């Protein structure tokens, strides 16, 4: 074997940009010193694995050329930390991608996945089922409010959204209201990347390259207004009236043409936009008045992010369909799903019993590994009281985030639950550049993972984050903001 001289990959020569971080390559594995021997061995063996070639992999939602020039590589994880191939411990300020709510590589989740893989790797998802799918569905239904009792499994948030939209359309159809075909989303909404999700979603770059999308889709206005809401902790007072825009859309098209409204209770991907006070309650009332189904996309807010199992509980609003993914098994195995109200499910349960009631599903719906991981994650959430913990530390988290106010270029800081959005002023003629540099510097210079949406930074650490770590995260963010000013 030829000697490896690049610190990041196996190239004989140091590759462009791969030296970044290696300059400060002193091993900081002692951060994981409290972990047991097996875990340490796992981390060390993962660090020994090196990447040969960065060319073939086309990275999702990533500027590929910039990444491959100066990659941000992750080799292992434990609790609040990632470990880079050169042994740096990097704090996870984003719970993976809003998903590792219990922290990374938790022993019981790892063990559940290992045991399941040895016991049953896969069971046909159509016409057959395995026990853990029922067990997990029951546990999820028990966490959901009201009569949200029936759980349909898929493998991602995008699939959850498309599933919910299809259930809504089919629901009206089988009840003799097939004219209800319109779907209403919201500007600045993110509902994944399926054609349904990008059609109801409200992010221009996710839409404009991909043709005509679904027809018959309308959008509510975004609820964010900086002049009225800047530097708000929690739900802003201004903006509840924007729910009445739904009445305007109903008046335009006629209620009998509208199947469903879909919103994120808190819009995460476009920069942590909490719902204005009273907004979701008004949407619910308007939907009820017009026989329109209300869908909450809780792919980010589900499983504790806002201090409750679901945001529906925080706001006292029960949707007809609720999309989940990410946190269901703490991000450990791909999984998503839709929870339907009893009445929605029952509407389908008619006709000859040998006939399929809903012509929809995925090969990997309720995959055994995902279900086993889900059961272990729900145990952890319960045993460690992580949803309550999120609620308890929310004020401290908000306080720490608000310390960023007044730093150069900070236009707004918003918080809700254990999530914060920080708007930075865009550089003239280069929207998104400052944000991108901030994310890159956070990783390379501050040993911190954060998320960006243009020039907005998002922070949403695992719910196990300690009070000291919250302080540390926002100090690192402050340094980054100063560095990119
Ligand atoms: C609210 C919401 N819906 C849907 C999705 C899509 O999830 P996935 O990337 O698992 O398809 C996301 C992802 O961030 C999301 O935040």
């Amino acid at each position: 074997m030829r000697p490896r001289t690049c610190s990041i990959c196996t190239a004989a020569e140091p590759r462009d940009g791969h030296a970044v971080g290696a300059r400060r390559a002193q091993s900081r594995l002692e951060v994981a010193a409290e972990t047991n021997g097996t875990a340490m061995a796992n981390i060390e063996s993962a660090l020994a694995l090196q990447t040969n070639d960065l060319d073939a992999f086309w990275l999702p939602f990533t500027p590929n050329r910039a990444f491959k020039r100066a990659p941000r590589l992750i080799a292992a994880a434990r609790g609040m930390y990632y470990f880079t191939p050169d042994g740096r411990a990097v704090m996870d300020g984003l719970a993976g991608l809003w998903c590792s709510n219990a922290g990374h590589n938790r022993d019981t989740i790892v063990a559940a996945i290992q045991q399941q893989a040895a016991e049953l790797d896969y069971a046909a998802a159509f016409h057959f089922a395995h026990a853990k799918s029922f067990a997990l569905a029951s546990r999820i239904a028990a966490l959901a409010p009201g009569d949200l009792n029936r759980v349909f499994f898929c493998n991602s948030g995008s699939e959850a959204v498309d599933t919910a939209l299809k259930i809504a359309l089919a629901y009206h159809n089988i009840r003799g209201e097939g004219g209800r075909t319109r779907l209403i989303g919201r500007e600045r909404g993110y509902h994944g990347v399926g054609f349904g999700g990008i059609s109801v979603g409200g992010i221009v770059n996710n839409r404009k390259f991909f043709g005509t999308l679904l027809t018959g889709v309308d959008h509510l206005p975004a609820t964010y207004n900086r002049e009225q809401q800047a530097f708000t902790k929690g739900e802003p007072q201004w903006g509840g009236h924007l729910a009445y825009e739904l009445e305007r859309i109903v008046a335009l098209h006629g209620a009998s043409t509208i199947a469903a409204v879909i919103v994120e209770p808190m819009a995460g991907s476009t920069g942590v936009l909490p719902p204005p006070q009273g907004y979701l309650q008004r949407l619910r009332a308007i939907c009820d008045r017009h026989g329109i189904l209300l869908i909450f996309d809780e792919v980010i807010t589900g499983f504790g992010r806002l201090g409750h199992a679901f945001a529906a509980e925080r706001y006292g609003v029960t949707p007809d369909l609720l999309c989940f993914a990410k946190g269901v098994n703490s991000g450990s195995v791909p999984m998503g799903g839709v929870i339907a109200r009893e009445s929605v499910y029952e509407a389908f349960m008619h006709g000859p019993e040998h006939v399929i009631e809903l012509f929809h599903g995925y090969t990997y719906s309720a995959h055994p590994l995902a279900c086993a991981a889900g059961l272990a994650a729900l145990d952890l959430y319960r045993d460690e009281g992580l949803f309550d913990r999120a609620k308890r530390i929310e004020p401290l988290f908000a306080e720490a985030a608000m310390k960023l106010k007044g730093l150069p270029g900070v236009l707004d800081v918003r918080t809700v639950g254990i999530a914060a959005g920080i708007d930075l002023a865009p550089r003239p003629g280069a929207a998104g550049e400052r944000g991108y540099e901030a994310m890159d510097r956070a990783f390379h210079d501050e040993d911190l993972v954060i998320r960006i949406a243009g020039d907005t930074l998002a922070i949403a650490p695992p719910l196990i984050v300690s009070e000291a770590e919250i302080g540390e995260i926002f100090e690192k963010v402050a340094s980054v903001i100063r560095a990119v000013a």
Side-chain angles (χ1 to χ4, degrees), residues 354-367:
H354 71 281
V355 175
I356 292 166
E357 296 103 353
L358 176 66
F359 285 85
H360 180 71
Y362 302 89
T363 297
Y364 300 117
S365 282
H367 192 281

Side-chain angles (χ1 to χ4, degrees), residues 318-388:
T318 305
D320 300 295
L321 296 163
L322 187 155
C323 304
F324 67 87
K326 296 188 187 273
V328 62
N329 55 28
S330 198
S332 57
V333 182
M335 175 169 246
V338 175
I339 320 176
R341 291 182 86 157
E342 203 69 42
S343 53
V344 172
Y345 175 83
E346 285 304 332
F348 286 87
M349 298 301 131
H350 296 290
E353 290 207 358
H354 71 281
V355 175
I356 292 166
E357 296 103 353
L358 176 66
F359 285 85
H360 180 71
Y362 302 89
T363 297
Y364 300 117
S365 282
H367 192 281
L369 297 189
C371 290
L375 288 167
L378 295 192
D379 283 350
L380 262 184
Y381 293 145
R382 180 196 58 210
D383 297 346
E384 297 185 353
L386 288 181
F387 304 163
D388 276 345

Side-chain angles (χ1 to χ4, degrees), residues 130-151:
H130 62 95
K132 290 197 178 75
S133 57
F134 297 101
L136 182 61
S138 302
R139 293 281 300 275
I140 293 170
L143 286 175
D147 63 344
L148 282 165
N149 285 336
R150 305 293 184 154
V151 181

Side-chain angles (χ1 to χ4, degrees), residues 7 9 23 39 49 118 126 137 143 155 165 169 172 179 184 195 227 344 368 473 480:
S7 62
C9 72
R23 281 189 295 275
L49 286 175
F126 309 158
L143 286 175
N155 310 289
L165 297 177
L169 291 168
H172 291 299
I184 315 293
F195 274 103
E227 266 176 36
V344 172
I473 288 172
V480 165

Side-chain angles (χ1 to χ4, degrees), residues 75-272:
R78 186 90 189 147
M80 280 294 299
Y81 289 90
Y82 285 124
F83 300 95
T84 63
D86 56 7
R88 280 191 302 137
V90 176
M91 192 176 282
D92 183 3
L94 194 72
L97 199 45
W98 315 88
C99 52
S100 307
N101 291 358
H104 293 279
N105 288 65
R106 298 296 306 270
D107 288 343
T108 53
I109 300 179
V110 172
I113 296 169
Q114 286 171 335
Q115 197 179 328
Q116 186 60 45
E119 189 178 297
L120 173 69
D121 57 348
Y122 177 76
F126 309 158
H127 296 293
F128 299 90
H130 62 95
K132 290 197 178 75
S133 57
F134 297 101
L136 182 61
S138 302
R139 293 281 300 275
I140 293 170
L143 286 175
D147 63 344
L148 282 165
N149 285 336
R150 305 293 184 154
V151 181
F152 193 103
F153 286 114
C154 52
N155 310 289
S156 67
S158 300
E159 289 180 359
V161 166
D162 278 12
T163 298
L165 297 177
K166 287 177 71 177
I167 290 176
L169 291 168
Y171 167 81
H172 291 299
N173 204 301
I174 55 169
R175 291 168 62 255
E177 290 197 70
R180 288 190 182 264
T181 56
R182 288 187 181 278
L183 301 167
I184 315 293
R186 192 169 59 188
E187 294 162 1
R188 294 193 71 167
Y190 181 64
H191 300 292
V193 293
F195 274 103
I198 60 174
S199 300
V200 293
I203 303 178
V204 61
N205 285 332
N206 291 0
R207 297 165 54 85
K208 70 180 184 189
F209 300 104
F210 306 111
T212 53
L213 311 183
L214 289 188
T215 54
V217 173
D218 230 321
H219 288 78
L220 291 162
T223 59
Y224 179 65
N225 179 312
R226 185 172 297 143
E227 266 176 36
Q228 302 288 346
Q229 299 171 342
F231 301 103
T232 300
K233 292 181 198 162
E235 295 75 12
Q237 274 180 357
W238 185 93
H241 64 283
L242 293 169
Y244 297 127
E245 288 293 310
L246 181 55
E247 287 285 18
R248 187 184 57 75
I249 295 173
V250 170
L252 176 67
H253 297 296
S256 64
T257 70
I258 302 175
V261 172
I262 180 167
V263 291
E264 302 157 270
M266 176 274 277
S269 295
T270 53
V272 182

